[in-house]
Amino acid sequence: MVSASSAEPRRVALLTLGCARNEVDSEELAGRLHADGWEVTTDGERADVVLVNTCGFVDKAKQDSIQTLMAAADTGAKVVAAGCMAERYGRELAESLPEAHAVLGFDDYPEIAARLGSVLAGERLRAHTPRDRRELLPITPVARRESEVVVPGHLPTESFGPGDGRGGRAGADDAGRPKHLRRRRLQEGPVASLKLASGCDRRCAFCAIPAFRGAFVSRTPDELLAEAEWLAKTGVRELVLVSENSTSYGKDLGDPRLLEKLLPQLAAVEGIVRVRASYLQPAETRPGLVEVIATTPGVAPYFDLSFQHSSEPVLRRMRRFGSTARFLDLLESVRALAPEAGARSNFIVGFPGETRSDVDELVRFLTDARLDAIGVFDYSDEDGTEAATMTGKVGRATIKRRYDKLLALAEELCAQRASDRLGSVVEVLVDTVDDGVVEGRAAHQAPEVDGSVTLVAGDAGVDLAALLPGDLVRATVTATEGVDLVAVPTGMASAAPRAVA
């Protein structure tokens, strides 16, 4: 462990668990810490402080967070918990996990450097008592812009002025005061997440996220475009738009169709070759938004739709809308505009009251839906949710049988869908080139969750050895391995910038 001193910068290791939204929050924390003189790394070795951005979504994620915090304590560094689990449980987590020297909530983020400085100095910070963050903002969405509630990952436009390209110290403002970029990329590569909004106004019976993430708040188009331009200058070629509910974007700004207008603007940012929207609510996915995503050049025809189930009785108990017929109609409208569009979703099995006929209905939907990627989750009670108090609980053994059945079906169906793409031409964004192996993703594949494309040599004359991360390559699919594709490049669609010798 390195001791902090005036001659050597304090070193903080920032470890991120959970979703892409958390990754954006970590990069905000990294930017704030770097601006205050901390050396920021993602390597827990030789750190003065290990800051763990935890996930608090489901039991497995919480267990992963606890294990990461305990492992961090073995390094000898001070250990600090932040993120969703820390916000959700606060003092309770601090009392049950003495290995953590501090448990910080979202309200601590603007002063994160001072908080870590206090921990390093040996002070014991009092953990917060959790509260429902939805109550901190006005009920009326359009009244929320004036609130001063801390919303992680929401960075002002001026945070993305001239700088070192990695979120370091920037120039000066009109009054001569130094400006700082408050987001600092923790991982290099051609893909980055861009946070559209935070929070959620929906009341799904199984979900605790709104209580600790708060009510829905959009970022303005100016903020997003400024950050997109900054990310492009750092070498980003694909933007992945993230939020708890992207289809609500703009409703608190007075324009519920704002995402339809924003997507083409983001796709037009110099250097960006692909924009991908995620976290779409089927009930809010309007025909105009479908058309923009399916037909706009530079926007991936990709539909990350939160179905969760397809049996109408189960959906009603979940406090959600839809049915097998409605969901299939939505997918049909997508494919009428873009036959090769990608579609993915997640599903919960074993929700209270779920019957065998409900499972049969879900099987029927999955079989007909032709989804590219399917996530299956077994239901478990979550603290503070309506579902946790519902009657009609399904036994654990039954849930496991249904989970195993749906998971096996999902793997089979997704492999079949991948096989449907044999012989098709896809545009592959190269993610990595490692020891001669070139991997990337087609438009229907989001980072980390939807499989990948391995490029192999063919007769088209494309030199694999000359490809770099960020290149957008046209390729013909020649083989499949589960959801993964193998393809032969046939030409360059858009080359990433090359270093000048």
Side-chain angles (χ1 to χ4, degrees), residues 419-460:
S419 295
D420 291 343
R421 297 186 183 275
L422 283 169
S424 67
V425 176
V426 294
E427 288 194 342
V428 178
L429 183 79
V430 176
D431 284 327
T432 60
V433 179
D434 185 13
D435 196 24
V437 178
V438 182
E439 275 202 78
R441 291 168 297 103
H444 69 280
Q445 296 170 318
E448 298 181 359
V449 294
D450 295 337
S452 64
V453 181
T454 300
L455 296 178
V456 296
D459 299 327

mmCIF file of all heavy atoms in Angstrom, residues 419-460:
data_model
loop_
_atom_site.group_PDB
_atom_site.id
_atom_site.type_symbol
_atom_site.label_atom_id
_atom_site.label_comp_id
_atom_site.label_asym_id
_atom_site.label_seq_id
_atom_site.Cartn_x
_atom_site.Cartn_y
_atom_site.Cartn_z
ATOM 1 N N SER A 419 -28.161 -18.228 -36.505
ATOM 2 C CA SER A 419 -28.027 -19.000 -37.746
ATOM 3 C C SER A 419 -28.807 -18.368 -38.890
ATOM 4 O O SER A 419 -28.423 -18.490 -40.064
ATOM 5 C CB SER A 419 -28.502 -20.438 -37.526
ATOM 6 O OG SER A 419 -27.664 -21.111 -36.606
ATOM 7 N N ASP A 420 -29.899 -17.675 -38.562
ATOM 8 C CA ASP A 420 -30.665 -16.979 -39.603
ATOM 9 C C ASP A 420 -29.830 -15.920 -40.313
ATOM 10 O O ASP A 420 -30.150 -15.520 -41.436
ATOM 11 C CB ASP A 420 -31.904 -16.297 -39.002
ATOM 12 C CG ASP A 420 -32.948 -17.289 -38.531
ATOM 13 O OD1 ASP A 420 -32.878 -18.464 -38.937
ATOM 14 O OD2 ASP A 420 -33.828 -16.890 -37.737
ATOM 15 N N ARG A 421 -28.765 -15.473 -39.665
ATOM 16 C CA ARG A 421 -27.938 -14.407 -40.238
ATOM 17 C C ARG A 421 -26.819 -14.949 -41.130
ATOM 18 O O ARG A 421 -26.032 -14.149 -41.668
ATOM 19 C CB ARG A 421 -27.357 -13.539 -39.120
ATOM 20 C CG ARG A 421 -28.446 -12.814 -38.317
ATOM 21 C CD ARG A 421 -27.860 -11.839 -37.298
ATOM 22 N NE ARG A 421 -28.915 -11.214 -36.505
ATOM 23 C CZ ARG A 421 -29.612 -10.133 -36.873
ATOM 24 N NH1 ARG A 421 -29.360 -9.545 -38.031
ATOM 25 N NH2 ARG A 421 -30.554 -9.645 -36.086
ATOM 26 N N LEU A 422 -26.718 -16.246 -41.276
ATOM 27 C CA LEU A 422 -25.707 -16.819 -42.178
ATOM 28 C C LEU A 422 -25.893 -16.273 -43.591
ATOM 29 O O LEU A 422 -26.998 -16.248 -44.133
ATOM 30 C CB LEU A 422 -25.811 -18.337 -42.198
ATOM 31 C CG LEU A 422 -25.230 -19.069 -40.985
ATOM 32 C CD1 LEU A 422 -25.640 -20.536 -41.004
ATOM 33 C CD2 LEU A 422 -23.714 -18.938 -40.957
ATOM 34 N N GLY A 423 -24.800 -15.807 -44.176
ATOM 35 C CA GLY A 423 -24.832 -15.263 -45.525
ATOM 36 C C GLY A 423 -25.181 -13.797 -45.598
ATOM 37 O O GLY A 423 -25.032 -13.177 -46.663
ATOM 38 N N SER A 424 -25.624 -13.213 -44.504
ATOM 39 C CA SER A 424 -25.979 -11.788 -44.518
ATOM 40 C C SER A 424 -24.727 -10.929 -44.373
ATOM 41 O O SER A 424 -23.676 -11.382 -43.908
ATOM 42 C CB SER A 424 -26.960 -11.466 -43.402
ATOM 43 O OG SER A 424 -26.346 -11.628 -42.128
ATOM 44 N N VAL A 425 -24.850 -9.675 -44.784
ATOM 45 C CA VAL A 425 -23.757 -8.709 -44.641
ATOM 46 C C VAL A 425 -24.043 -7.845 -43.418
ATOM 47 O O VAL A 425 -25.133 -7.281 -43.282
ATOM 48 C CB VAL A 425 -23.621 -7.834 -45.897
ATOM 49 C CG1 VAL A 425 -22.550 -6.765 -45.693
ATOM 50 C CG2 VAL A 425 -23.281 -8.699 -47.105
ATOM 51 N N VAL A 426 -23.078 -7.775 -42.516
ATOM 52 C CA VAL A 426 -23.215 -6.978 -41.304
ATOM 53 C C VAL A 426 -22.091 -5.952 -41.250
ATOM 54 O O VAL A 426 -21.038 -6.134 -41.877
ATOM 55 C CB VAL A 426 -23.172 -7.864 -40.038
ATOM 56 C CG1 VAL A 426 -24.379 -8.781 -39.992
ATOM 57 C CG2 VAL A 426 -21.883 -8.686 -39.978
ATOM 58 N N GLU A 427 -22.344 -4.863 -40.516
ATOM 59 C CA GLU A 427 -21.287 -3.881 -40.257
ATOM 60 C C GLU A 427 -20.768 -4.124 -38.848
ATOM 61 O O GLU A 427 -21.523 -4.063 -37.872
ATOM 62 C CB GLU A 427 -21.812 -2.459 -40.414
ATOM 63 C CG GLU A 427 -22.065 -2.072 -41.857
ATOM 64 C CD GLU A 427 -22.271 -0.572 -42.045
ATOM 65 O OE1 GLU A 427 -22.551 0.121 -41.040
ATOM 66 O OE2 GLU A 427 -22.130 -0.103 -43.185
ATOM 67 N N VAL A 428 -19.485 -4.409 -38.763
ATOM 68 C CA VAL A 428 -18.868 -4.814 -37.505
ATOM 69 C C VAL A 428 -17.974 -3.690 -37.002
ATOM 70 O O VAL A 428 -17.060 -3.243 -37.709
ATOM 71 C CB VAL A 428 -18.036 -6.097 -37.688
ATOM 72 C CG1 VAL A 428 -17.361 -6.493 -36.380
ATOM 73 C CG2 VAL A 428 -18.913 -7.224 -38.215
ATOM 74 N N LEU A 429 -18.247 -3.234 -35.779
ATOM 75 C CA LEU A 429 -17.346 -2.288 -35.132
ATOM 76 C C LEU A 429 -16.283 -3.094 -34.393
ATOM 77 O O LEU A 429 -16.601 -3.883 -33.502
ATOM 78 C CB LEU A 429 -18.095 -1.394 -34.156
ATOM 79 C CG LEU A 429 -17.223 -0.325 -33.503
ATOM 80 C CD1 LEU A 429 -17.007 0.845 -34.466
ATOM 81 C CD2 LEU A 429 -17.807 0.176 -32.197
ATOM 82 N N VAL A 430 -15.021 -2.915 -34.781
ATOM 83 C CA VAL A 430 -13.934 -3.670 -34.162
ATOM 84 C C VAL A 430 -13.718 -3.168 -32.737
ATOM 85 O O VAL A 430 -13.479 -1.977 -32.513
ATOM 86 C CB VAL A 430 -12.640 -3.537 -34.980
ATOM 87 C CG1 VAL A 430 -11.488 -4.248 -34.264
ATOM 88 C CG2 VAL A 430 -12.833 -4.109 -36.379
ATOM 89 N N ASP A 431 -13.820 -4.079 -31.780
ATOM 90 C CA ASP A 431 -13.602 -3.733 -30.371
ATOM 91 C C ASP A 431 -12.170 -3.995 -29.936
ATOM 92 O O ASP A 431 -11.553 -3.185 -29.249
ATOM 93 C CB ASP A 431 -14.550 -4.532 -29.470
ATOM 94 C CG ASP A 431 -15.974 -4.012 -29.495
ATOM 95 O OD1 ASP A 431 -16.166 -2.793 -29.635
ATOM 96 O OD2 ASP A 431 -16.903 -4.830 -29.392
ATOM 97 N N THR A 432 -11.637 -5.172 -30.320
ATOM 98 C CA THR A 432 -10.305 -5.559 -29.872
ATOM 99 C C THR A 432 -9.544 -6.247 -30.991
ATOM 100 O O THR A 432 -10.130 -6.937 -31.833
ATOM 101 C CB THR A 432 -10.360 -6.518 -28.666
ATOM 102 O OG1 THR A 432 -11.079 -7.699 -29.024
ATOM 103 C CG2 THR A 432 -11.051 -5.862 -27.479
ATOM 104 N N VAL A 433 -8.236 -6.053 -30.990
ATOM 105 C CA VAL A 433 -7.317 -6.796 -31.853
ATOM 106 C C VAL A 433 -6.248 -7.343 -30.927
ATOM 107 O O VAL A 433 -5.434 -6.590 -30.387
ATOM 108 C CB VAL A 433 -6.705 -5.901 -32.940
ATOM 109 C CG1 VAL A 433 -5.747 -6.711 -33.805
ATOM 110 C CG2 VAL A 433 -7.792 -5.252 -33.791
ATOM 111 N N ASP A 434 -6.263 -8.655 -30.711
ATOM 112 C CA ASP A 434 -5.389 -9.253 -29.709
ATOM 113 C C ASP A 434 -4.705 -10.477 -30.288
ATOM 114 O O ASP A 434 -5.349 -11.500 -30.556
ATOM 115 C CB ASP A 434 -6.214 -9.627 -28.471
ATOM 116 C CG ASP A 434 -5.347 -10.142 -27.335
ATOM 117 O OD1 ASP A 434 -4.110 -9.990 -27.389
ATOM 118 O OD2 ASP A 434 -5.909 -10.700 -26.378
ATOM 119 N N ASP A 435 -3.417 -10.379 -30.501
ATOM 120 C CA ASP A 435 -2.610 -11.504 -30.988
ATOM 121 C C ASP A 435 -3.204 -12.090 -32.268
ATOM 122 O O ASP A 435 -3.310 -13.310 -32.428
ATOM 123 C CB ASP A 435 -2.515 -12.578 -29.893
ATOM 124 C CG ASP A 435 -1.388 -13.590 -30.172
ATOM 125 O OD1 ASP A 435 -0.449 -13.224 -30.902
ATOM 126 O OD2 ASP A 435 -1.475 -14.715 -29.653
ATOM 127 N N GLY A 436 -3.608 -11.213 -33.170
ATOM 128 C CA GLY A 436 -4.124 -11.632 -34.459
ATOM 129 C C GLY A 436 -5.607 -11.954 -34.487
ATOM 130 O O GLY A 436 -6.170 -12.189 -35.562
ATOM 131 N N VAL A 437 -6.266 -11.971 -33.322
ATOM 132 C CA VAL A 437 -7.697 -12.246 -33.256
ATOM 133 C C VAL A 437 -8.452 -10.914 -33.239
ATOM 134 O O VAL A 437 -8.228 -10.078 -32.360
ATOM 135 C CB VAL A 437 -8.060 -13.072 -32.012
ATOM 136 C CG1 VAL A 437 -9.565 -13.297 -31.941
ATOM 137 C CG2 VAL A 437 -7.320 -14.404 -32.029
ATOM 138 N N VAL A 438 -9.321 -10.741 -34.232
ATOM 139 C CA VAL A 438 -10.066 -9.486 -34.368
ATOM 140 C C VAL A 438 -11.518 -9.740 -33.982
ATOM 141 O O VAL A 438 -12.209 -10.551 -34.608
ATOM 142 C CB VAL A 438 -9.996 -8.944 -35.809
ATOM 143 C CG1 VAL A 438 -10.741 -7.615 -35.913
ATOM 144 C CG2 VAL A 438 -8.537 -8.790 -36.246
ATOM 145 N N GLU A 439 -11.966 -9.059 -32.936
ATOM 146 C CA GLU A 439 -13.343 -9.226 -32.470
ATOM 147 C C GLU A 439 -14.066 -7.900 -32.472
ATOM 148 O O GLU A 439 -13.482 -6.842 -32.198
ATOM 149 C CB GLU A 439 -13.380 -9.813 -31.056
ATOM 150 C CG GLU A 439 -13.296 -11.322 -31.026
ATOM 151 C CD GLU A 439 -13.859 -11.892 -29.735
ATOM 152 O OE1 GLU A 439 -15.094 -11.968 -29.615
ATOM 153 O OE2 GLU A 439 -13.054 -12.248 -28.877
ATOM 154 N N GLY A 440 -15.358 -7.963 -32.783
ATOM 155 C CA GLY A 440 -16.186 -6.774 -32.762
ATOM 156 C C GLY A 440 -17.637 -7.152 -32.614
ATOM 157 O O GLY A 440 -17.974 -8.275 -32.218
ATOM 158 N N ARG A 441 -18.497 -6.208 -32.959
ATOM 159 C CA ARG A 441 -19.936 -6.438 -32.809
ATOM 160 C C ARG A 441 -20.685 -5.869 -34.001
ATOM 161 O O ARG A 441 -20.359 -4.793 -34.510
ATOM 162 C CB ARG A 441 -20.449 -5.782 -31.541
ATOM 163 C CG ARG A 441 -19.978 -6.418 -30.242
ATOM 164 C CD ARG A 441 -20.287 -5.530 -29.056
ATOM 165 N NE ARG A 441 -19.557 -4.274 -29.164
ATOM 166 C CZ ARG A 441 -20.105 -3.132 -29.546
ATOM 167 N NH1 ARG A 441 -21.396 -3.063 -29.868
ATOM 168 N NH2 ARG A 441 -19.377 -2.041 -29.618
ATOM 169 N N ALA A 442 -21.704 -6.594 -34.417
ATOM 170 C CA ALA A 442 -22.605 -6.100 -35.451
ATOM 171 C C ALA A 442 -23.626 -5.168 -34.802
ATOM 172 O O ALA A 442 -23.675 -5.005 -33.580
ATOM 173 C CB ALA A 442 -23.298 -7.264 -36.148
ATOM 174 N N ALA A 443 -24.480 -4.569 -35.618
ATOM 175 C CA ALA A 443 -25.437 -3.594 -35.108
ATOM 176 C C ALA A 443 -26.414 -4.214 -34.121
ATOM 177 O O ALA A 443 -26.938 -3.516 -33.238
ATOM 178 C CB ALA A 443 -26.195 -2.951 -36.268
ATOM 179 N N HIS A 444 -26.671 -5.520 -34.231
ATOM 180 C CA HIS A 444 -27.641 -6.150 -33.340
ATOM 181 C C HIS A 444 -27.014 -6.644 -32.045
ATOM 182 O O HIS A 444 -27.696 -7.305 -31.246
ATOM 183 C CB HIS A 444 -28.329 -7.328 -34.040
ATOM 184 C CG HIS A 444 -27.428 -8.498 -34.294
ATOM 185 N ND1 HIS A 444 -26.542 -8.541 -35.343
ATOM 186 C CD2 HIS A 444 -27.275 -9.677 -33.616
ATOM 187 C CE1 HIS A 444 -25.890 -9.690 -35.304
ATOM 188 N NE2 HIS A 444 -26.311 -10.396 -34.269
ATOM 189 N N GLN A 445 -25.761 -6.289 -31.784
ATOM 190 C CA GLN A 445 -25.052 -6.781 -30.608
ATOM 191 C C GLN A 445 -24.554 -5.629 -29.758
ATOM 192 O O GLN A 445 -23.652 -4.886 -30.159
ATOM 193 C CB GLN A 445 -23.862 -7.654 -31.030
ATOM 194 C CG GLN A 445 -24.269 -8.924 -31.774
ATOM 195 C CD GLN A 445 -23.082 -9.641 -32.400
ATOM 196 O OE1 GLN A 445 -22.190 -9.003 -32.972
ATOM 197 N NE2 GLN A 445 -23.065 -10.963 -32.305
ATOM 198 N N ALA A 446 -25.129 -5.469 -28.581
ATOM 199 C CA ALA A 446 -24.657 -4.460 -27.638
ATOM 200 C C ALA A 446 -23.426 -4.990 -26.904
ATOM 201 O O ALA A 446 -23.203 -6.204 -26.843
ATOM 202 C CB ALA A 446 -25.750 -4.106 -26.639
ATOM 203 N N PRO A 447 -22.602 -4.102 -26.351
ATOM 204 C CA PRO A 447 -21.396 -4.549 -25.651
ATOM 205 C C PRO A 447 -21.704 -5.507 -24.507
ATOM 206 O O PRO A 447 -22.622 -5.277 -23.718
ATOM 207 C CB PRO A 447 -20.797 -3.241 -25.126
ATOM 208 C CG PRO A 447 -21.353 -2.172 -26.002
ATOM 209 C CD PRO A 447 -22.722 -2.635 -26.385
ATOM 210 N N GLU A 448 -20.980 -6.593 -24.444
ATOM 211 C CA GLU A 448 -20.905 -7.524 -23.317
ATOM 212 C C GLU A 448 -22.110 -8.442 -23.144
ATOM 213 O O GLU A 448 -22.013 -9.472 -22.487
ATOM 214 C CB GLU A 448 -20.670 -6.767 -21.993
ATOM 215 C CG GLU A 448 -19.360 -5.994 -21.980
ATOM 216 C CD GLU A 448 -19.126 -5.275 -20.663
ATOM 217 O OE1 GLU A 448 -20.007 -5.381 -19.773
ATOM 218 O OE2 GLU A 448 -18.096 -4.609 -20.521
ATOM 219 N N VAL A 449 -23.270 -8.108 -23.696
ATOM 220 C CA VAL A 449 -24.470 -8.875 -23.381
ATOM 221 C C VAL A 449 -25.063 -9.647 -24.551
ATOM 222 O O VAL A 449 -25.900 -10.528 -24.345
ATOM 223 C CB VAL A 449 -25.568 -7.963 -22.789
ATOM 224 C CG1 VAL A 449 -25.143 -7.407 -21.450
ATOM 225 C CG2 VAL A 449 -25.934 -6.839 -23.758
ATOM 226 N N ASP A 450 -24.680 -9.345 -25.773
ATOM 227 C CA ASP A 450 -25.373 -9.906 -26.935
ATOM 228 C C ASP A 450 -24.494 -10.712 -27.874
ATOM 229 O O ASP A 450 -24.853 -10.936 -29.019
ATOM 230 C CB ASP A 450 -26.014 -8.778 -27.765
ATOM 231 C CG ASP A 450 -27.103 -8.050 -27.012
ATOM 232 O OD1 ASP A 450 -27.664 -8.632 -26.069
ATOM 233 O OD2 ASP A 450 -27.399 -6.901 -27.353
ATOM 234 N N GLY A 451 -23.341 -11.150 -27.415
ATOM 235 C CA GLY A 451 -22.456 -11.884 -28.298
ATOM 236 C C GLY A 451 -21.550 -10.965 -29.086
ATOM 237 O O GLY A 451 -21.544 -9.744 -28.923
ATOM 238 N N SER A 452 -20.763 -11.569 -29.981
ATOM 239 C CA SER A 452 -19.757 -10.809 -30.722
ATOM 240 C C SER A 452 -19.568 -11.415 -32.105
ATOM 241 O O SER A 452 -20.156 -12.438 -32.448
ATOM 242 C CB SER A 452 -18.424 -10.807 -29.961
ATOM 243 O OG SER A 452 -17.904 -12.132 -29.872
ATOM 244 N N VAL A 453 -18.724 -10.761 -32.895
ATOM 245 C CA VAL A 453 -18.354 -11.244 -34.229
ATOM 246 C C VAL A 453 -16.838 -11.394 -34.273
ATOM 247 O O VAL A 453 -16.114 -10.453 -33.945
ATOM 248 C CB VAL A 453 -18.801 -10.270 -35.333
ATOM 249 C CG1 VAL A 453 -18.412 -10.818 -36.707
ATOM 250 C CG2 VAL A 453 -20.301 -10.007 -35.269
ATOM 251 N N THR A 454 -16.375 -12.570 -34.671
ATOM 252 C CA THR A 454 -14.946 -12.772 -34.915
ATOM 253 C C THR A 454 -14.708 -12.659 -36.414
ATOM 254 O O THR A 454 -15.351 -13.348 -37.213
ATOM 255 C CB THR A 454 -14.501 -14.161 -34.423
ATOM 256 O OG1 THR A 454 -14.750 -14.259 -33.019
ATOM 257 C CG2 THR A 454 -13.011 -14.361 -34.682
ATOM 258 N N LEU A 455 -13.802 -11.781 -36.788
ATOM 259 C CA LEU A 455 -13.468 -11.591 -38.197
ATOM 260 C C LEU A 455 -12.336 -12.531 -38.592
ATOM 261 O O LEU A 455 -11.339 -12.648 -37.872
ATOM 262 C CB LEU A 455 -13.072 -10.136 -38.457
ATOM 263 C CG LEU A 455 -14.176 -9.090 -38.233
ATOM 264 C CD1 LEU A 455 -13.632 -7.684 -38.469
ATOM 265 C CD2 LEU A 455 -15.368 -9.359 -39.137
ATOM 266 N N VAL A 456 -12.509 -13.203 -39.720
ATOM 267 C CA VAL A 456 -11.490 -14.139 -40.200
ATOM 268 C C VAL A 456 -11.143 -13.794 -41.641
ATOM 269 O O VAL A 456 -11.911 -13.138 -42.351
ATOM 270 C CB VAL A 456 -11.993 -15.598 -40.124
ATOM 271 C CG1 VAL A 456 -12.240 -16.001 -38.675
ATOM 272 C CG2 VAL A 456 -13.257 -15.793 -40.954
ATOM 273 N N ALA A 457 -9.974 -14.226 -42.066
ATOM 274 C CA ALA A 457 -9.496 -13.887 -43.407
ATOM 275 C C ALA A 457 -10.337 -14.579 -44.470
ATOM 276 O O ALA A 457 -10.825 -15.689 -44.288
ATOM 277 C CB ALA A 457 -8.030 -14.286 -43.550
ATOM 278 N N GLY A 458 -10.465 -13.887 -45.602
ATOM 279 C CA GLY A 458 -11.199 -14.442 -46.734
ATOM 280 C C GLY A 458 -10.538 -14.030 -48.042
ATOM 281 O O GLY A 458 -9.342 -13.696 -48.065
ATOM 282 N N ASP A 459 -11.313 -14.035 -49.107
ATOM 283 C CA ASP A 459 -10.772 -13.719 -50.432
ATOM 284 C C ASP A 459 -11.002 -12.275 -50.849
ATOM 285 O O ASP A 459 -10.706 -11.900 -51.979
ATOM 286 C CB ASP A 459 -11.410 -14.637 -51.485
ATOM 287 C CG ASP A 459 -11.112 -16.099 -51.209
ATOM 288 O OD1 ASP A 459 -10.013 -16.387 -50.694
ATOM 289 O OD2 ASP A 459 -11.981 -16.942 -51.515
ATOM 290 N N ALA A 460 -11.551 -11.445 -49.954
ATOM 291 C CA ALA A 460 -11.935 -10.086 -50.342
ATOM 292 C C ALA A 460 -10.766 -9.108 -50.320
ATOM 293 O O ALA A 460 -10.923 -7.953 -50.701
ATOM 294 C CB ALA A 460 -13.049 -9.570 -49.443
#
